[in-house]
Amino acid sequence: MFVPTSEAPVIAAYQEVMAWVNGNAQFSPQAKYEFSQGADGWLVAYAMSHNVILVTLEAYQQNARRRVPIPNVCDQFGVTPMDTFEMLDDLGVRFDWHPSG
């Protein structure tokens, strides 16, 4: 799904996210820089401003220093993170695997 991030509420949320990340002494300067260069901050900002769940393969890491995990940022801003398998289960997706032959 591709959605615009040019909406004022998304931009405002992104500014909040980046201020928190950059002000957080837990994360290394390199981790903050890498986070600022990617889409992760925008994903959290979009989820914040639209009150939606953010699906990610990342896990919360209490002592993360070398990277800024999406679930850590979600936790700070009240966004619900969910992994792919939880999403599939919640959606009731079932795969019926039959061997060929």
Side-chain angles (χ1 to χ4, degrees):
M1 175 169 87
F2 295 95
V3 295
T5 57
S6 57
E7 303 166 334
V10 177
I11 293 169
Y14 180 76
Q15 290 170 332
E16 286 182 59
V17 166
M18 293 312 300
W20 179 78
V21 168
N22 286 319
N24 193 322
Q26 173 181 341
F27 305 116
S28 71
Q30 183 64 30
K32 294 174 185 182
Y33 173 76
E34 289 174 10
F35 187 83
S36 74
Q37 298 302 299
D40 292 358
W42 289 106
L43 292 170
V44 176
Y46 187 89
M48 283 172 61
S49 62
H50 289 276
N51 196 31
V52 296
I53 294 170
L54 199 159
V55 177
T56 179
L57 292 175
E58 294 181 10
Y60 182 88
Q61 297 175 33
Q62 182 175 352
N63 299 315
R65 253 198 76 56
R66 293 185 178 167
R67 66 181 322 272
V68 181
I70 289 174
N72 292 44
V73 182
C74 287
D75 186 60
Q76 176 64 32
F77 292 98
V79 172
T80 302
M82 179 181 287
D83 73 33
T84 307
F85 298 106
E86 288 175 294
M87 177 196 68
L88 292 171
D89 189 52
D90 279 4
L91 293 173
V93 174
R94 299 288 178 251
F95 297 99
D96 190 12
W97 303 101
H98 293 284
S100 298

